[in-house]
């Protein structure tokens, strides 16, 4: 397959992931504690959720910015892989809480993050 075409597909995925993580991270970091509590199972403490929100925002920046500014491009697959781990944990947590309506989007984001991590890793070689 054409590497330029793969690069374009990866950019679309990176953009979608960056927006999704910016929205999710901002919601956890900036909303009131009552609204944040509605997003996740009750057993997860607010300080952890605030930290997770900040990390999601950093993950969004790490997924898109290094390749966009053409600096530290090796950070992109690392950030995507780290966010895939976060998403896998979210799938497990929401699955155990029987919040099955959240799983389809989490699984799509997980697949995109893994695709970006692997795709960018191999395109750098």
């Amino acid at each position: 397959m054409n590497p330029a075409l793969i690069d374009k597909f990866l950019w679309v995925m990176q953009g979608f992931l960056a927006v999704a993580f910016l929205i999710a991270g901002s919601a956890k970091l900036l909303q009131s504690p009552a609204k944040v509590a509605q997003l996740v199972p009750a057993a997860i403490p607010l300080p952890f959720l605030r930290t997770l929100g900040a990390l999601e925002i950093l993950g969004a920046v790490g997924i898109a910015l290094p390749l966009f500014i053409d600096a530290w491009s090796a950070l992109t697959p690392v950030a995507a892989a780290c966010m895939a781990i976060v998403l896998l944990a979210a799938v497990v947590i929401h699955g155990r809480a029987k919040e099955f309506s959240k799983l389809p989007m989490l699984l799509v984001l997980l697949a995109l993050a893994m695709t970006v991590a692997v795709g960018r890793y191999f395109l750098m070689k």
Side-chain angles (χ1 to χ4, degrees):
M1 192 172 226
N2 183 355
L5 184 61
I6 293 172
D7 182 60
K8 287 179 180 154
F9 281 128
L10 289 171
W11 268 115
V12 170
M13 289 182 224
Q14 285 171 247
F16 185 79
L17 284 169
V19 168
F21 286 127
L22 281 174
I23 291 170
S26 297
K28 289 180 188 90
L29 192 61
L30 303 174
Q31 289 188 10
S32 69
K35 288 205 177 212
V36 173
Q38 296 172 353
L39 300 173
V40 296
I44 300 175
L46 183 64
F48 176 80
L49 292 173
R50 298 288 194 202
T51 302
L52 180 61
L55 291 174
E56 286 175 337
I57 291 170
L58 288 174
V61 171
I63 285 173
L65 190 62
L67 284 173
F68 187 72
I69 63 171
D70 199 26
W72 296 341
S73 58
L75 182 61
T76 296
V78 172
C82 290
M83 296 316 298
I85 293 168
V86 168
L87 287 163
L88 184 59
V91 167
V92 170
I93 288 169
H94 288 289
R96 285 186 178 172
K98 297 188 181 357
E99 296 176 339
F100 300 119
S101 64
K102 296 183 179 184
L103 294 182
M105 180 54 92
L106 290 172
L107 292 170
V108 166
L109 291 171
L110 175 60
L112 290 175
M114 290 173 28
T115 301
V116 168
V118 171
R120 285 295 176 201
Y121 176 78
F122 285 110
L123 272 184
M124 287 191 315
K125 290 186 171 198

